[in-house]
Amino acid sequence: MSAEMQMRPAACPACAVAPSAETLAAAGAAAPKEARLFLSLPTIHCAACISAVERALNGTAGVLDARVNLTLKRVAVEAGPEVTADRLIEVLAAIGYEAHELDPGVIAATATDRAGRDILMRLAVSGFAMMNVMLLSVAVWSGAADATRDLFHWVSAMIALPTIVFAAQPFFRNAFAVLRHGRLNMDVPISLAIVLAAGMSLYETAQHGPHAYFDAALSLTFFLLAGRYLDHRTRAVARSAAEELAALEVPRAQRRTGAGEETVPIAEIAVGDVVLVRPGGRVPVDGVVAEGQSEIDRSLLTGETLPAFAGPGMALSAGEVNLTGPLAVTVTAAGQDSSLHRMADLVAVAESSRNRYTSLADRAARIYAPGVHLLSLLAFLVWLWISGGDLRLALNIAVAVLIITCPCALGLAVPAVTTAASGRLFRRGLLIKDGTALERLAEIDAVVFDKTGTLTLGAPEPTNLGDHPRRDLEIALALAEGSAHPLARALAEAARQAGLHPARVSDIREVPGYGVEGALGGETVRFGRAAWVGAGAAPGSETASWLRVGARAPVTFTFADRLRPGAETAVAELVALGMKVRLVSGDAPGPVADLAARLGISDWQAEALPEDKAAAVQALGDEGRRVLMVGDGLNDTAALAAAHVSISPASALDAARVASDIVLLGRDLAPLGGAVATARRATRRIRENFAISALYNMIAVPVALVGLATPLAAALAMSASSITVSLNALRLR
Amino acid sequence: MQIIAYLIPVSLFLGGLGLGAFFWALRSHQFEDPEGDSRRILNDDWDEHPKP
């Protein structure tokens, strides 16, 4: 193309100017490159929301167009380069809508669903052709004869043949690809039946034969494409939601340069750069602290709930959260080399070992495909022998057998059930990422939970507020409000809820890594780490913060991790289903025992390393149990990948979400028990559908074998079985 | 039976018209936000913007 464009000026000197004008125009059109921003709007739900959001965004300076997609809960904004996502998020926050920026690079892949549209188009064409051919067929079935019948058959052929060439392509392509590798799958008998039915019908039509199976070939294509489309829909919904989760974390870092600092994508960070990490930010790279003091929350990586002190010289890993003070970090590994990414790679390896699981549909197809071909060949040979060499009759019967056994119901049975089941689970906040996850979830009989971030929210809650005099609490509240540390925030929230008001503490300042300090009536008051307020060592493993007023002995505030909503219900329901429930955590024994007692889990293990977690899952597997692993941290990824099926909450690290088969979208754990029940019901429906298919084959195949299968019988049987399995799948909704 | 010579082409043509309309709708992204579109009917604003 470009070569041709360059040739043209040389061939025609006179019009040498024209192409350059063309390119100029093209460049001019492309020059104001519109920044395309995507925002996720999790709370949007109504017609009024749509117009409110669109009006607000269109009223913002620099925005050219904004359009809400309610199905995806997302807004696409076309805007000039000066408009930033943060600005738009502020605009939406002002009118009361929560918004998050999405990474356009990740989202773009799902913005247009080409494959889905392709199948839908083929489905429409085959549906159109099927209806028209069936109308003509009804005339033939009800007694049209001779020339009229031939005319109708010819018209049917004219409609059916191009349709089959176009609409059945996905099956032909798959079948061809599989045959080249010398294997069989469901698409091979399908393709063979479609091609033979069409070819045989054409031959019969030309020979003025009474039977043509054009309508059967078309309805076969139509029903199977419907199954294919359902399957695609399920996967597309899961994929787009999973990618949206990934796109929510726009990976950027603050890099310090000679002139100041700049925001750059993670990919541009190199070893030796200095990256700034603000309080509350996630450490984007592996590195060593160069400047600053702070506390680091590494609960996602290790399961340890107690924040760790961080000062110059300390090594940090990507994924840890900086809590109190700004840090400058010298990069030692970034991007693909960071520990986060290495872990994700390990998971990819573990994943491939699990892919050995074959779904029910594949197992059925493995028996089905060769069986059908053998049966059809047998019919051909036997009839050739009975009729004394009548090739046409024998072939006719062989084709009838192939058509009537063809797995309309089988091809619809699994997709229809999984679509209904995943839709039901999605509405309850569970996202099925993997095609076979539902079947594997139905088989589990043991559950391993991680503690921090999974059964608990990873957010602390004060436990001994009642032990302190009101005055102390008021001072603590005043100091706690001066900090963004999670312990301080939790204390402030709880104290406010108890109806307390802060004491008049002046000169409040935060000492990063230690605590908050202030002055009250000439006395210094401090709230923070034990050593800093002069309290000696912290007692045991409890998460605690200390308050010291003047010269008085310090008092301690203890905290416990807050339970995730629905955790009690989920554990109780799983136990009621007869599961063996185990709690394995990287945290200290104290908090783990405490939580286990609260939830009624008798089997627990503390201070588990990532290998211990994987080993715990493995041990249960060796007992012959099928394990469900629920976890969220980097230390859980190995166990998630080793388990029979795994679930992680949406708040988990990217690596953990990648490793798990199912993602819990909401905060609530309660749907877990129901999910297992739904999965079991879905598997039962799939088996029922297989049974229905088998039953229908048991009746239809002997009819076809003795040569009594007319096109009418084939059409009736095929439609009846397809509709039966679809309706059976709908019972799940 | 002469009528068949007219009716068959007519029915095919009308069916084809429907198919064409479906293709057009599919190609112009009208199935991308079914839920939003069903709510937009209730919207008082005149919406003359094409779909993104």
Side-chain angles (χ1 to χ4, degrees):
Chain A
M1 193 72 157
S2 62
E4 188 189 332
M5 277 177 130
Q6 283 163 358
M7 293 276 287
R8 227 165 20 163
C12 161
C15 47
V17 193
S20 70
E22 255 169 38
T23 43
L24 262 181
K33 184 71 184 153
E34 284 149 357
R36 213 155 152 69
L37 297 167
F38 288 95
L39 300 176
S40 164
L41 302 162
T43 56
I44 195 167
H45 63 277
C46 60
C49 310
I50 297 178
S51 46
V53 166
E54 287 184 354
R55 204 173 301 142
L57 289 178
N58 283 324
T60 309
V63 173
L64 302 175
D65 185 40
R67 180 139 189 135
V68 172
N69 186 329
L70 190 66
T71 315
L72 298 170
K73 294 191 188 250
R74 192 184 285 176
V75 58
V77 183
E78 280 184 36
E82 73 280 6
V83 177
T84 62
D86 291 341
R87 172 86 193 93
L88 298 180
I89 289 171
E90 273 171 37
V91 168
L92 290 177
I95 58 163
Y97 290 101
E98 181 189 347
H100 304 283
E101 187 186 359
L102 293 169
D103 190 346
V106 180
I107 284 299
T110 48
T112 52
D113 180 12
R114 285 194 151 275
R117 262 163 56 188
D118 185 62
I119 302 181
L120 203 55
M121 208 172 277
R122 291 179 206 278
L123 187 65
V125 172
S126 65
F128 160 79
M130 179 182 77
M131 284 188 288
N132 281 294
V133 170
M134 277 203 166
L135 274 179
L136 295 166
S137 302
V138 169
V140 176
W141 297 335
S142 51
D146 307 324
T148 323
R149 185 185 60 206
D150 279 353
L151 173 70
F152 285 175
H153 277 167
W154 277 117
V155 175
S156 301
M158 266 163 49
I159 303 169
L161 294 177
T163 304
I164 284 168
V165 169
F166 172 69
Q169 264 175 31
F171 305 114
F172 297 156
R173 263 203 303 271
N174 274 349
F176 186 65
V178 170
L179 278 179
R180 248 199 337 216
H181 290 100
R183 283 181 294 123
L184 280 178
N185 69 356
M186 204 70 120
D187 288 328
V188 177
I190 291 168
S191 302
L192 200 66
I194 292 175
V195 168
L196 276 179
M200 193 68 208
S201 304
L202 191 64
Y203 174 75
E204 284 288 305
T205 304
Q207 299 288 317
H208 310 287
H211 295 322
Y213 289 99
F214 290 118
D215 57 318
L218 284 173
S219 56
L220 199 62
T221 316
F222 176 78
F223 281 121
L224 289 169
L225 278 172
R228 212 46 60 107
Y229 184 67
L230 284 177
D231 202 41
H232 176 83
R233 284 296 305 168
T234 329
R235 275 157 218 252
V237 167
R239 204 177 44 236
S240 82
E243 268 166 26
E244 177 153 332
L245 279 177
L248 272 174
E249 292 166 18
V250 182
R252 289 204 193 105
Q254 298 280 335
R255 180 164 65 186
R256 180 184 287 175
T257 59
E261 52 187 77
E262 55 178 359
T263 306
V264 291
I266 283 285
E268 288 176 23
I269 300 286
V271 173
D273 283 354
V274 175
V275 175
L276 299 168
V277 187
R278 302 232 145 73
R282 191 168 273 181
V283 182
V285 291
D286 287 0
V288 176
V289 178
E291 280 168 40
Q293 283 180 335
S294 179
E295 275 172 294
I296 292 291
D297 176 4
R298 34 181 55 157
S299 59
L300 275 179
L301 277 73
T302 60
E304 173 86 48
T305 41
L306 215 56
F309 179 79
M314 198 177 121
L316 299 180
S317 303
E320 294 173 343
V321 178
N322 181 15
L323 292 176
T324 47
L327 288 175
V329 180
T330 311
V331 179
T332 54
Q336 298 298 326
D337 303 322
S338 74
S339 51
L340 204 62
H341 251 278
R342 281 205 307 277
M343 192 61 102
D345 292 345
L346 276 182
V347 167
V349 174
E351 282 270 281
S352 61
S353 71
R354 189 166 50 185
N355 282 345
R356 277 179 311 214
Y357 185 88
T358 44
S359 66
L360 279 171
D362 286 346
R363 268 179 280 169
R366 209 172 282 172
I367 308 166
Y368 189 89
V372 166
H373 289 155
L374 274 178
L375 200 64
S376 160
L377 184 67
L378 206 70
F380 175 73
L381 293 177
V382 169
W383 275 99
L384 203 60
W385 177 64
I386 292 176
S387 62
D390 187 347
L391 203 65
R392 187 172 154 196
L393 177 72
L395 206 58
N396 242 327
I397 287 172
V399 169
V401 170
L402 212 52
I403 290 174
I404 219 157
T405 52
C406 216
C408 271
L410 218 53
L412 265 174
V414 179
V417 172
T418 47
T419 308
S422 336
R424 186 187 163 97
L425 290 178
F426 190 66
R427 280 193 296 279
R428 294 184 179 183
L430 281 161
L431 176 68
I432 310 285
K433 273 176 56 200
D434 188 288
T436 59
L438 213 56
E439 286 170 28
R440 284 183 275 135
L441 186 62
E443 291 173 355
I444 58 156
D445 52 6
V447 186
V448 176
F449 280 107
D450 165 54
K451 184 179 84 74
T452 317
T454 304
L455 283 174
T456 67
L457 283 171
E461 185 178 39
T463 50
N464 67 340
L465 281 188
D467 302 351
H468 298 285
R470 191 182 175 86
R471 183 72 186 147
D472 281 3
L473 286 174
E474 285 172 355
I475 297 169
L477 171 59
L479 289 170
E481 285 190 335
S483 170
H485 192 284
L487 294 188
R489 275 217 302 254
L491 182 76
E493 195 187 314
R496 282 273 183 199
Q497 269 177 10
L500 292 169
H501 295 283
R504 288 167 178 268
V505 180
S506 56
D507 301 330
I508 294 177
R509 69 184 185 98
E510 183 163 25
V511 185
Y514 294 100
V516 194
E517 191 176 52
L520 179 74
E523 282 182 321
T524 306
V525 285
R526 280 180 165 184
F527 178 71
R529 297 179 83 84
W532 186 59
V533 300
S541 54
E542 275 194 321
T543 314
S545 212
W546 298 75
L547 175 73
R548 178 179 178 140
V549 181
R552 206 145 49 88
V555 290
T556 171
F557 289 90
T558 54
F559 295 86
D561 212 348
R562 194 181 307 171
L563 217 54
R564 190 179 273 271
E568 279 151 327
T569 327
V571 171
E573 276 181 25
L574 289 172
V575 170
L577 282 169
M579 308 271 168
K580 184 181 171 69
V581 178
R582 179 179 278 184
L583 176 64
V584 182
S585 172
D587 207 356
V592 180
D594 189 41
L595 182 83
R598 245 163 108 188
L599 291 174
I601 300 172
S602 54
D603 188 2
W604 57 270
Q605 185 183 346
E607 287 177 339
L609 297 172
E611 304 86 76
D612 299 338
K613 291 197 173 193
V617 168
Q618 196 64 52
L620 281 170
D622 292 343
E623 279 175 35
R625 288 181 181 272
R626 312 225 177 213
V627 186
L628 163 67
M629 171 77 202
V630 191
D632 76 320
L634 197 55
N635 56 339
D636 299 317
T637 45
L640 286 169
H644 191 56
V645 58
S646 50
I647 299 182
S648 67
S651 58
L653 271 185
D654 221 14
R657 284 201 310 256
V658 168
S660 53
D661 304 303
I662 301 170
V663 176
L664 193 66
L665 294 170
R667 279 157 56 98
D668 204 337
L669 264 184
L672 226 56
V676 177
T678 304
R680 286 185 177 172
R681 275 223 306 284
T683 319
R684 200 155 58 229
R685 292 281 174 275
I686 292 176
R687 286 179 201 279
E688 276 169 20
N689 278 351
F690 284 167
I692 292 171
S693 276
L695 189 71
Y696 137 84
N697 272 345
M698 266 189 280
I699 300 166
V701 169
V703 176
L705 279 178
V706 295
L708 293 174
T710 58
L712 176 62
L716 280 180
M718 209 180 289
S719 311
S721 83
S722 293
I723 291 165
T724 322
V725 295
S726 304
L727 289 179
N728 191 37
L730 283 180
R731 281 169 61 205
L732 204 71
R733 284 177 76 87
Chain B
M1 292 302 269
Q2 288 295 314
I3 194 75
I4 286 174
Y6 299 105
L7 283 184
I8 290 177
V10 165
S11 82
L12 283 179
F13 174 74
L14 288 176
L17 220 58
L19 193 67
F22 177 74
F23 278 4
W24 171 77
L26 195 67
R27 277 181 199 279
S28 56
H29 302 266
Q30 300 202 16
F31 294 97
E32 308 235 311
D33 183 15
E35 203 174 318
D37 289 340
S38 68
R39 310 272 179 142
R40 275 176 202 275
I41 304 173
L42 305 173
N43 202 334
D44 287 336
D45 305 342
W46 169 245
D47 184 10
E48 57 185 350
H49 292 295
K51 305 260 176 180

